[in-house]
Amino acid sequence: MALKDSYELPAAADMHVHLRNAPGPIAELVTPTIRKAGVDTVFVMPNLAPKPVVSVAEALEYKAQLQAIDPSVNYLMSLYLHSSITPDEIREAKKAGIAGVKAYPKGATTNSQWGVVSFDPFHEVLKTMEEEGIVLNLHGEVPSNASEGVTVMNAESKFLPVLKNLVDKYPRLKIVLEHCTTADAVETVRSFGENVVGTITAHHLSLLVDDWSANVNNYCKPSAKSPEDRKALLNAVIHSKGKFFLGTDSAPHDISAKKGKGNTAAGVFTQPYALGYVLTALEEAIVRGDIASASEVTDDSLAGFFSTYGRSFYNIPQATQKIRLTRDGQTVLDSLKGTGAEIVPFRAGEKTWGVEWL
């Protein structure tokens, strides 16, 4: 039994996107694709280069630049957890409507060179975030270290004790374990109270380790892993009950950074077609038997994962507009081209679900 041929759902909220520096060629190319995907709200990552977003003033300036590209999107802004951030900055962030603070383990992913080595020096900042209700967003990996037996395949599982320590120390702090990729992460998030949730990307619902080891456009951090891990993610989507919601981690890189000399950049670009990728992954899972029946993929479960659960967690209004997703309604472009940038999307050239605003 397949999925339905069309779904009418509330407009989606993508709670983890990378839009890059604005103004800039990549931001100008990808920001207009947000609403094309059926998304009206995005949580924007702060790991810009050559300097991350570490102050309220910088976050608001960044937001203004994104609004200049597409003012019809609701941009939720974030700060980068950095030694320069103080409790007073957190209080100002709350007043300014900043939605979260993103913690990157130093050296674990793109533009994480300014990141966290230990959370101990941030005790007062984290206590203030707990008091003010500002979300801590975690890139849940430890850096690869061969001497300690850490690789991309177990970096997330090795991070989970850090998450547990944070939950124990700051029991009222709202925490998002971003882009979960393992069954271990799903189980761990489920073990905590309602203030700890996880986001799941579109591409991790399809990819396995073999897919990115053979194709640079499928390589990301954290990396896709085993069939058992993918199955756990798929079932977390349809049985979320508010513990998991969409955060695509759509990460655009110019084609030269993916296929040029040296190491390939980590990131999969899914922004324009994100909801369709999820539906395709769910349908493929039904065929494989990873999901027992299409009847488990309900309109309510899709509306929750795509829209309502994330909005509820961040305490923002629910969507007022609806979208229609239609099977085989469009074809993924081979690449998106703009002035000074070319980006290859996930599953380039394949049929995917069309999006219509109602």
Side-chain angles (χ1 to χ4, degrees), residues 66 128 166 191 264 333 335 341:
L66 294 173
T128 306
L166 287 168
S191 73
T264 188
L333 294 175
S335 70

Side-chain angles (χ1 to χ4, degrees), residues 266-288:
V268 176
F269 178 57
T270 58
Q271 197 72 69
Y273 312 102
L275 309 189
Y277 292 144
V278 173
L279 292 180
T280 297
L282 293 173
E283 195 156 55
E284 291 172 344
I286 294 166
V287 172
R288 286 193 308 269

Side-chain angles (χ1 to χ4, degrees), residues 148-208:
E148 296 180 5
V150 180
T151 71
V152 294
M153 295 303 292
N154 63 7
E156 182 173 273
S157 294
K158 295 281 189 182
F159 181 84
L160 296 177
V162 178
L163 171 60
K164 186 178 187 307
N165 287 339
L166 287 168
V167 174
D168 289 344
K169 195 169 184 178
Y170 309 100
R172 294 182 293 107
L173 179 62
K174 298 183 76 171
I175 298 175
V176 180
L177 183 62
E178 303 282 353
H179 41 52
C180 299
T181 64
T182 60
D184 287 346
V186 170
E187 181 180 356
T188 299
V189 169
R190 287 200 184 281
S191 73
F192 297 127
E194 62 183 13
N195 60 310
V196 180
V197 299
T199 57
I200 297 176
T201 77
H203 53 282
H204 285 119
L205 298 175
S206 295
L207 294 175
L208 298 175

Side-chain angles (χ1 to χ4, degrees), residues 19-20 44 48 58-66 77:
L19 301 176
R20 308 307 187 202
V44 184
L48 304 183
E58 290 169 350
L60 295 180
E61 174 62 21
Y62 185 25
K63 181 177 183 177
Q65 296 290 353
L66 294 173
M77 306 309 292

Side-chain angles (χ1 to χ4, degrees), residues 190-308:
R190 287 200 184 281
S191 73
F192 297 127
E194 62 183 13
N195 60 310
V196 180
V197 299
T199 57
I200 297 176
T201 77
H203 53 282
H204 285 119
L205 298 175
S206 295
L207 294 175
L208 298 175
V209 56
D210 290 354
D211 298 311
W212 61 259
S213 65
N215 184 338
V216 294
N217 292 311
N218 292 338
Y219 173 64
C220 57
K221 296 289 294 292
S223 301
K225 298 179 175 67
S226 73
E228 294 78 15
D229 291 315
R230 181 178 64 183
K231 181 177 179 179
L233 298 177
L234 288 157
N235 281 276
V237 168
I238 59 173
H239 301 297
S240 165
K241 298 180 180 178
K243 291 295 286 184
F244 300 94
F245 47 81
L246 179 68
T248 63
D249 190 22
S250 179
H253 292 283
D254 185 73
I255 193 169
S256 62
K258 295 296 280 186
K259 294 191 174 183
K261 295 180 179 178
N263 293 340
T264 188
V268 176
F269 178 57
T270 58
Q271 197 72 69
Y273 312 102
L275 309 189
Y277 292 144
V278 173
L279 292 180
T280 297
L282 293 173
E283 195 156 55
E284 291 172 344
I286 294 166
V287 172
R288 286 193 308 269
D290 285 348
I291 294 174
S293 168
S295 63
E296 295 185 64
V297 185
T298 65
D299 288 38
D300 285 346
S301 67
L302 292 174
F305 180 74
F306 285 149
S307 185
T308 61

